[in-house]
Amino acid sequence: MNAPLVELRLKQIRLEAQGIVSYEFVSATDVPLPPFDAGAHIDLHLAHDRVRSYSLANAPSDTGRYLIAVQREAAGRGGSAWMHTKPRVGDVLHASLPANDFALVEDAALSIFIVGGIGITPVLAMLHRLGAVGRPRRLYYASRSAGETAFAEELLAMAGDANACCAANGLDAACEVEFCFGTSRVERLDIEAIVRAAPAESHLYCCGPARMIDAFIEACTSRPPHTVHFERFAAGSEAATDGGFDVLLQRCGERFTVAPGKTILDALLDHGIDVPYACTAGVCGTCRTTVLEGQPDHRDDFLSTEEKKANDSIMVCCSGSRSKTLVLDL
Ligand code: FES
């Protein structure tokens, strides 16, 4: 946990859509903000040792600020509620250096993005970047309603500017944006049809809820893997909360039972054990913990199949135990 941190001053808070607020940070010191690539995120340190990962939404060329957006999650662990109620303009927060698990291929003939809700944040930075390098891009953006669609005006302006410039030069449209509002089956994006119609040489990206990502992965099974990119905000499986097993912490000697309704992370925090975590959804890898004995019930989307089979590490935020006792290197 001694990774270098960036000191950020909150410059602006803005309501982007119903339940979605954006936060613009600038450097709180004389040191300029580290640069980032489109698709990158920062781990923001909130109160009570909470850390949350947020994608950077502004254009990478827009140096000097980091823009994130947070959707209020009724069922979250309190990170989004804290972000929506506590920070004030002028506050100083700390964050990790930008890291990127969702890199953009900048020289694709066509980039197609399928996005759900707050999944727009890394994609907004990608669309800006592709515009800067003169590459065509197409966005399919699903949300519950127009009022819950963040950055809609910015996206339409981006497409309008890019396409006006192309029309003036007799070129095809460079940026297409299609919104899809609603929650019923018929109102949802037809991901299979979008993927089927995508030119062979295009790269496809998806960022959104688990159901959308699962449909995207299934639709892309016959496409070359290097052209298929996705980022989950939550693991594909439900967190293990059946409890009923013991956790033994080898180094501190403490032993306790994980109660039904709790994850291992919940139980560790309840017992005052300080473990790093961020997404709490099995996707970021922050809570990876070494397993010394026992068989984890893996529920994350971070470890590879081989790593899961090895049974020597576990994402404590979402995974459980198949054995009666799990011995952890804590
Ligand atoms: S906190 Fe992100 S994988 Fe556990």
Side-chain angles (χ1 to χ4, degrees):
M1 283 292 281
N2 292 325
L5 295 178
V6 188
E7 225 173 291
L8 302 173
R9 188 172 302 283
L10 184 51
K11 184 178 175 192
Q12 179 172 261
I13 302 175
R14 212 174 105 111
L15 183 67
E16 297 291 350
Q18 194 183 319
I20 300 177
V21 171
S22 72
Y23 303 82
E24 180 188 353
F25 293 99
V26 295
S27 175
T29 68
D30 294 337
V31 181
L33 293 180
F36 68 93
D37 295 323
H41 67 271
I42 52 172
D43 293 337
L44 194 63
H45 291 238
L46 317 182
H48 312 301
D49 293 331
R50 286 191 181 121
V51 182
R52 294 290 185 274
S53 299
Y54 296 112
S55 297
L56 296 173
N58 54 308
S61 60
D62 182 14
T63 55
R65 69 183 191 127
Y66 291 159
L67 182 72
I68 64 167
V70 181
Q71 177 163 30
R72 184 151 192 165
E73 304 280 356
R77 278 172 192 273
S80 72
W82 189 89
M83 284 298 291
H84 273 243
T85 53
K86 298 296 182 197
R88 296 283 177 269
V89 169
D91 285 357
V92 172
L93 283 86
H94 292 85
S96 66
L97 300 177
N100 199 340
D101 303 322
F102 191 36
L104 175 69
V105 177
E106 296 188 357
D107 57 358
L110 172 64
S111 299
I112 297 174
F113 300 90
I114 298 171
V115 160
I118 195 67
I120 190 63
T121 48
V123 170
L124 186 57
M126 292 174 160
L127 293 166
H128 278 301
R129 177 61 188 159
L130 290 171
V133 295
R135 288 287 171 175
R137 63 268 196 221
R138 191 180 294 164
L139 169 68
Y140 298 92
Y141 182 2
S143 59
R144 286 173 191 273
S145 66
E148 293 165 278
T149 308
F151 304 114
E153 280 176 24
E154 183 174 341
L155 289 162
L156 289 172
M158 181 195 295
D161 290 349
N163 297 335
C165 178
C166 288
N169 292 294
L171 301 171
D172 290 340
C175 181
E176 294 168 62
V177 175
E178 188 174 317
F179 295 101
C180 174
F181 303 130
T183 54
S184 75
R185 183 172 270 278
V186 285
E187 290 166 328
R188 277 186 219 142
L189 281 178
D190 188 344
I191 293 174
E192 204 269 326
I194 294 169
V195 171
R196 195 170 356 102
E201 67 281 8
S202 50
H203 278 243
L204 291 107
Y205 299 78
C206 185
C207 189
R211 185 176 56 198
M212 174 179 268
I213 301 271
D214 290 344
F216 174 75
I217 292 170
E218 196 177 326
C220 289
T221 44
S222 59
R223 298 190 76 92
H226 72 280
T227 65
V228 177
H229 317 266
F230 59 89
E231 183 167 70
R232 287 185 189 272
F233 285 165
S237 313
E238 291 283 304
T241 54
D242 287 348
F245 58 91
D246 279 7
V247 168
L248 171 62
L249 309 183
Q250 183 73 40
R251 276 188 274 145
C252 68
E254 200 162 333
R255 180 182 197 115
F256 51 81
T257 301
V258 178
K262 299 266 184 181
T263 61
I264 298 175
L265 177 62
D266 292 330
L268 288 167
L269 297 176
D270 288 349
H271 285 79
I273 310 294
D274 188 20
V275 282
Y277 65 96
C279 71
T280 69
V283 292
C284 74
T286 307
C287 69
R288 184 174 186 160
T289 302
T290 299
V291 174
L292 299 173
E293 261 181 66
Q295 191 185 7
D297 176 7
H298 295 291
R299 302 289 180 95
D300 64 277
D301 276 329
F302 183 83
L303 295 173
S304 66
T305 308
E306 287 69 34
E307 287 172 323
K308 284 179 181 168
K309 275 190 198 145
N311 276 337
D312 55 10
S313 55
I314 184 171
M315 298 298 151
V316 292
C317 68
C318 62
S319 298
S321 179
R322 293 185 188 283
S323 50
K324 271 220 76 52
T325 302
L326 208 53
V327 184
L328 302 179
D329 187 21
L330 289 172

